[in-house]
Amino acid sequence: MAKKGKKHREVEAPDEADGKLKNKLYEKELKKLHVELVKLQQWVVAKGLKVCIVFEGRDGAGKGGCIKAITERVSPRIFRVVALPAPTERQKSQMYVQRYIEHFPAGGEIVIFDRSWYNRAGVERVMGFATDQQMERFLLMTPAFEKAMLDAGIILLKYWLEVTMEEQERRLTARIDDGRKIWKLSPMDLKSFSKWYDYSRARDAMFAATDTSWAPWYVLRSDDKKRARLNVISHLLRHVPYEELPSEKVKLPKREGPKGYVEPDYPYKYVTEHDWGAE
């Protein structure tokens, strides 16, 4: 049976004056990719695969949107998203990667890290939460740690979302005036905003130490959010080998009769139905 996912391509051709995808094309392509993600899910479960996907990148680069696009049509029991809060005092006393390891996938699972152990190479380095010695040890040990993951049968994919300085500022500024998005603008985001070049240096050092042949970094340009989402799903489908499992066409069974059941005259408390379309 032929492998799936190979037909998908990174979306590069512009469809609007600014080069960004029109929503109609985006929805059309995303629907196709969602169908393939369901096939991947079924294959992962059937074969007991263990998949770990890491999303890193600058603030406002669109990590959350990419993760939502991947997971919105699949089972949250199979595609698990891990977004850990700041470590507790107890966790700070543990081996650094310990709190991440407990979330690693078991057979038949795909775990997506919305930020990961690479916090040490990014925010912890830039904001002074880790010492130089801790930083150096992390960069030295991480390639071997990730090699051990692969040796344990985990398929590891690492994505770095890259956004331009101008686009990052536009997105973060937009969050200030949008009541739906203000929660995304944390105090740490505000402190980090002025440190663009410090984050660039941290990224460069991280890539130099951890962009290995067995666990490479894949850079996703994300100034166009829609294109980035399609591209990362397409890439994911090509890098986790899967096949479409044979299945019979699903058919709903015939309903049983009421067998004497009568609807009760119960005073249900219905949710108010507004006439949303009225002027």
Side-chain angles (χ1 to χ4, degrees), residues 8 24-38 69 72-73 230 233:
H8 301 297
K24 184 175 181 180
L25 175 59
Y26 169 69
E27 294 294 342
K28 176 183 177 182
E29 295 295 331
L30 185 61
K31 183 177 180 180
K32 296 177 185 176
L33 293 172
H34 280 160
V35 172
E36 295 302 318
L37 283 171
V38 171
E72 63 183 341
R73 296 294 183 178
L230 298 180
I233 297 175

Side-chain angles (χ1 to χ4, degrees), residues 123-163:
V123 64
E124 290 191 17
R125 172 178 181 158
V126 173
M127 303 306 294
F129 299 143
T131 66
D132 291 343
Q133 184 179 14
Q134 288 174 322
M135 190 65 243
E136 291 172 5
R137 181 166 178 78
F138 173 81
L139 293 178
L140 178 65
M141 297 299 295
T142 296
F145 167 66
E146 292 177 349
K147 182 65 164 58
M149 292 176 65
L150 271 65
D151 290 344
I154 295 175
I155 298 172
L156 175 62
L157 291 172
K158 303 186 305 189
Y159 292 109
W160 173 270
L161 275 65
E162 190 60 46
V163 66

Side-chain angles (χ1 to χ4, degrees), residues 54-222:
V54 168
F55 277 93
E56 294 286 346
R58 298 183 185 273
D59 295 329
K63 296 178 292 296
C66 283
I67 292 170
K68 182 179 179 181
I70 292 171
T71 59
E72 63 183 341
R73 296 294 183 178
V74 291
S75 170
R77 293 186 296 275
I78 309 304
F79 281 77
R80 290 196 293 110
V81 178
V82 177
L84 298 184
T88 64
E89 289 302 314
R90 179 176 183 275
Q91 289 171 331
K92 290 178 182 178
S93 72
Q94 297 174 339
M95 181 175 66
Y96 174 69
V97 295
Q98 189 169 336
R99 74 187 189 119
Y100 296 100
I101 292 174
E102 65 178 291
H103 296 282
F104 279 10
E109 292 181 346
I110 298 173
V111 172
I112 301 175
F113 279 94
D114 184 354
R115 296 203 182 276
S116 65
W117 49 95
Y118 281 102
N119 272 342
R120 174 137 294 179
V123 64
E124 290 191 17
R125 172 178 181 158
V126 173
M127 303 306 294
F129 299 143
T131 66
D132 291 343
Q133 184 179 14
Q134 288 174 322
M135 190 65 243
E136 291 172 5
R137 181 166 178 78
F138 173 81
L139 293 178
L140 178 65
M141 297 299 295
T142 296
F145 167 66
E146 292 177 349
K147 182 65 164 58
M149 292 176 65
L150 271 65
D151 290 344
I154 295 175
I155 298 172
L156 175 62
L157 291 172
K158 303 186 305 189
Y159 292 109
W160 173 270
L161 275 65
E162 190 60 46
V163 66
T164 60
M165 186 185 298
E166 295 76 16
E167 180 63 16
Q168 183 196 52
E169 182 170 353
R170 187 194 69 78
R171 292 178 185 178
L172 295 181
T173 300
R175 293 177 182 180
I176 296 174
D177 301 320
D178 192 332
R180 301 167 300 172
K181 299 178 180 179
I182 189 64
W183 64 272
K184 294 183 177 182
L185 198 60
S186 70
M188 188 60 63
D189 292 336
L190 295 175
K191 291 180 182 179
S192 299
F193 178 73
S194 64
K195 298 182 180 293
W196 175 273
Y197 293 106
D198 287 340
Y199 274 101
S200 294
R201 294 184 186 95
R203 176 204 59 197
D204 296 346
M206 181 186 76
F207 274 34
T210 65
D211 185 22
T212 60
S213 60
W214 55 90
W217 278 104
Y218 296 106
V219 178
L220 180 68
R221 291 176 292 183
S222 61

Side-chain angles (χ1 to χ4, degrees), residues 203-256:
R203 176 204 59 197
D204 296 346
M206 181 186 76
F207 274 34
T210 65
D211 185 22
T212 60
S213 60
W214 55 90
W217 278 104
Y218 296 106
V219 178
L220 180 68
R221 291 176 292 183
S222 61
D223 273 20
D224 182 344
K225 291 181 179 180
K226 295 185 180 71
R227 181 173 280 109
R229 293 167 190 170
L230 298 180
N231 284 340
V232 76
I233 297 175
S234 175
H235 188 277
L236 164 64
L237 290 168
R238 290 200 309 275
H239 284 77
V240 182
Y242 70 101
E243 299 177 11
E244 182 177 358
L245 294 173
S247 61
E248 296 182 1
K249 186 174 179 59
V250 177
K251 184 178 180 181
L252 291 175
K254 184 178 179 181
R255 292 188 190 273
E256 295 180 351

